[in-house]
């Protein structure tokens, strides 16, 4: 405990920001009000803070954070040396907050995740939960495409045996000791919503409605979304490798049958010069082999980046209160 037993918890709100100049001033204002309201109602300690993490933005994000830092008692800033992506920025923020807070909540800069759910998070925390998941009860505000792909993806991950909380993104509270546990995960291919359930401890859930972005545009274009989704699968499940193995077995059995058939045809004098069949099978098998190699290659690539054990981020500046 950072605070004494009898005192209220010190809460850190960790907010990764990448080119968020259009939303930041409003976000800072809303979060500040919310934090003040929670402190006034005795839910959190006065020393609770908002930590903005600038993920190597190319616009005015950092100067806005600096300004907020100068003008507000509750706001801190962390600047990464360059753009490392949402998950790494979040991790950097959580690791920085870890030693100075009792609990930290991660949330996006666009406040699509309802900040009024924070009271619920804190109540669960005070009930003894080390991890509290924010779960989207409705996604009506998301586009049809985003909603169906995201929900389908959660189901697919479950099918592959990945322990993941349905419709939970990165809006969650973690206690000091859950953060310490998280720090022990050394992997480079970060997929936090897959790692956090592995930590265990008592968990709670808070439901909220997801809003639209109030300004700016999504920093997750389709390309990033696909690569993030793919990372989630290949970092947590080796089922695709097993599926390849099974396809290999089925095809091998099939080829034995084909061989017997070919032999019988030859012996009975019915063999036809099967040029078309040969070409077709070469293409089919070649395709399957390439696909298999590609999937195996993905895992080998992951092993490559894991064994290098490179640092996930470097801190350029830390504006601390
Ligand atoms: N983000 C980041 N680094 C990146 C991309 C995004 O820190 O490389 C942050 C972004 O500023 C936002 C959060 O991650 O706070 C989620 O991004 P966004 O809202 O654009 O994603 P969406 O809600 O559309 O999935
Ligand atoms: Mg968003």
């Amino acid at each position: 405990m950072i605070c004494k037993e009898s005192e209220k918890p010190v809460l850190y709100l960790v907010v990764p920001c990448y080119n968020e100049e259009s939303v930041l001033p409003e976000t800072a204002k809303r979060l500040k009000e919310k934090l003040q309201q929670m402190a006034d109602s005795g839910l959190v300690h006065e020393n609770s803070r908002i930590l903005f993490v600038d993920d190597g933005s190319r616009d005015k994000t950092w100067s806005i954070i600096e300004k907020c830092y100068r003008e507000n008692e509750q706001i801190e800033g962390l600047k990464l040396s360059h753009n490392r992506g949402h998950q790494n920025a979040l991790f950097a923020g959580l690791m920085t907050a870890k030693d100075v807070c009792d609990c930290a909540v991660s949330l996006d800069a666009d406040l699509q995740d309802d900040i009024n759910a924070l009271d619920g998070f804190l109540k669960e925390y005070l009930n003894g939960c080390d991890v509290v998941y924010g779960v989207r009860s409705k996604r009506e505000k998301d586009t049809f495409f985003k909603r169906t792909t995201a929900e389908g993806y959660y189901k697919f991950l479950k099918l592959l045996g990945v322990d993941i909380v349905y419709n939970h993104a990165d809006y969650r509270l973690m206690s000091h000791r859950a953060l310490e546990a998280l720090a022990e995960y050394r992997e480079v291919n970060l997929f936090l919503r897959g790692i956090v359930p592995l930590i265990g401890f008592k968990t709670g859930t808070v439901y909220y409605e997801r809003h639209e972005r109030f300004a700016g545009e999504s920093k997750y274009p389709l390309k990033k979304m696909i690569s993030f989704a793919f990372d989630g699968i290949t970092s947590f499940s080796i089922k695709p490798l097993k599926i390849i193995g099974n396809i290999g077995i089925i095809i091998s059995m099939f080829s034995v049958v084909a061989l017997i058939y070919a032999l019988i045809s030859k012996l009975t004098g019915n063999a036809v010069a099967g040029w078309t069949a040969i070409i077709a099978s070469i293409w089919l098998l070649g395709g399957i082999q390439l696909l298999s190699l590609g999937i195996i290659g993905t895992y080998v690539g992951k092993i490559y980046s894991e064994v290098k054990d490179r640092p996930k981020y470097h801190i350029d500046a830390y504006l601390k209160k």
Side-chain angles (χ1 to χ4, degrees):
M1 272 289 215
I2 300 298
C3 61
K4 293 184 200 78
E5 277 312 315
S6 58
E7 283 184 29
K8 298 148 209 152
V10 173
L11 168 71
Y12 261 68
L13 297 175
V14 178
V15 188
C17 313
Y18 178 57
N19 295 343
E20 297 286 13
E21 61 180 10
S22 55
V23 299
L24 258 183
E26 178 65 21
T27 298
K29 182 170 154 272
R30 289 196 204 172
L31 285 179
K32 211 181 82 182
E33 281 167 11
K34 182 69 199 170
L35 204 59
Q36 192 57 51
Q37 177 218 319
M38 287 166 78
D40 290 344
S41 63
L43 216 49
V44 299
H45 196 277
E46 291 290 329
N47 290 349
S48 296
R49 300 275 178 263
I50 301 159
L51 174 62
F52 287 114
V53 183
D54 175 20
D55 184 18
S57 302
R58 270 172 274 127
D59 62 358
K60 295 199 204 73
T61 298
W62 182 244
S63 47
I64 297 173
I65 294 175
E66 279 180 318
K67 182 165 175 282
C68 292
Y69 167 77
R70 282 194 303 272
E71 292 171 1
N72 298 285
E73 186 51 41
Q74 304 104 314
I75 295 181
E76 295 186 356
L78 184 74
K79 183 177 180 357
L80 301 191
S81 57
H82 70 137
N83 181 242
R84 297 308 321 263
H86 178 215
Q87 299 288 294
N88 287 315
L90 201 57
F91 190 78
L94 291 175
M95 290 303 108
T96 305
K98 171 170 77 75
D99 300 321
V100 284
C101 72
D102 292 304
C103 55
V105 172
S106 46
L107 69 167
D108 291 350
D110 52 13
L111 300 191
Q112 279 187 284
D113 302 317
D114 187 6
I115 54 173
N116 291 318
L118 284 169
D119 304 80
F121 277 47
L122 260 292
K123 280 182 193 129
E124 290 285 315
Y125 169 76
L126 295 171
N127 279 339
C129 290
D130 279 283
V131 179
V132 185
Y133 297 107
V135 172
R136 297 161 182 178
S137 55
K138 280 193 214 144
R139 306 184 63 129
E140 279 153 15
K141 300 284 166 53
D142 274 337
T143 60
F144 174 77
F145 177 75
K146 181 125 190 166
R147 194 169 65 227
T148 36
T149 49
E151 291 187 346
Y153 179 62
Y154 285 113
K155 287 186 186 140
F156 185 58
L157 276 179
K158 273 251 183 271
L159 208 70
L160 289 177
V162 186
D163 185 12
I164 194 165
V165 180
Y166 187 67
N167 260 343
H168 157 70
D170 284 305
Y171 189 26
R172 78 177 80 79
L173 176 144
M174 293 180 78
S175 70
H176 178 67
R177 67 176 184 157
L179 290 170
E180 299 228 297
L182 179 66
E184 286 171 35
Y185 287 76
R186 312 254 334 132
E187 58 200 81
V188 179
N189 297 292
L190 265 193
F191 186 66
L192 288 170
R193 45 195 104 154
I195 296 176
V196 176
L198 299 179
I199 294 177
F201 294 133
K202 188 175 169 198
T203 60
T205 306
V206 169
Y207 294 90
Y208 68 94
E209 278 178 40
R210 182 161 160 95
H211 304 301
E212 266 170 287
R213 222 176 211 281
F214 64 84
E217 54 191 40
S218 175
K219 307 296 177 299
Y220 262 104
L222 189 62
K223 197 170 142 235
K224 264 198 191 174
M225 243 165 77
I226 292 173
S227 109
F228 183 60
F230 203 62
D231 246 9
I233 295 169
T234 51
S235 292
F236 284 89
S237 171
I238 54 163
K239 276 214 176 139
L241 285 179
K242 290 188 181 150
I243 294 170
I244 291 174
N246 291 341
I247 292 176
I249 293 170
I250 293 168
I251 289 180
S252 308
M253 287 185 335
F254 186 75
S255 62
V256 171
V257 177
L259 189 73
I260 295 171
Y261 172 72
L263 274 176
I264 293 173
S265 306
K266 193 169 173 63
L267 290 175
T268 52
N270 288 333
V272 188
W275 186 83
T276 323
I278 289 172
I279 293 295
S281 56
I282 286 174
W283 280 90
L284 180 70
L285 286 178
I288 291 172
Q289 281 170 351
L290 281 181
L291 173 76
S292 310
L293 279 177
I295 296 186
I296 293 167
T298 310
Y299 285 93
V300 175
K302 293 228 152 163
I303 296 170
Y304 177 65
S305 53
E306 294 301 343
V307 292
K308 277 191 295 196
D309 202 16
R310 284 192 178 154
K312 287 190 268 291
Y313 59 88
H314 297 291
I315 291 169
D316 187 349
Y318 180 27
L319 304 175
K320 170 128 189 60
K321 291 289 175 187

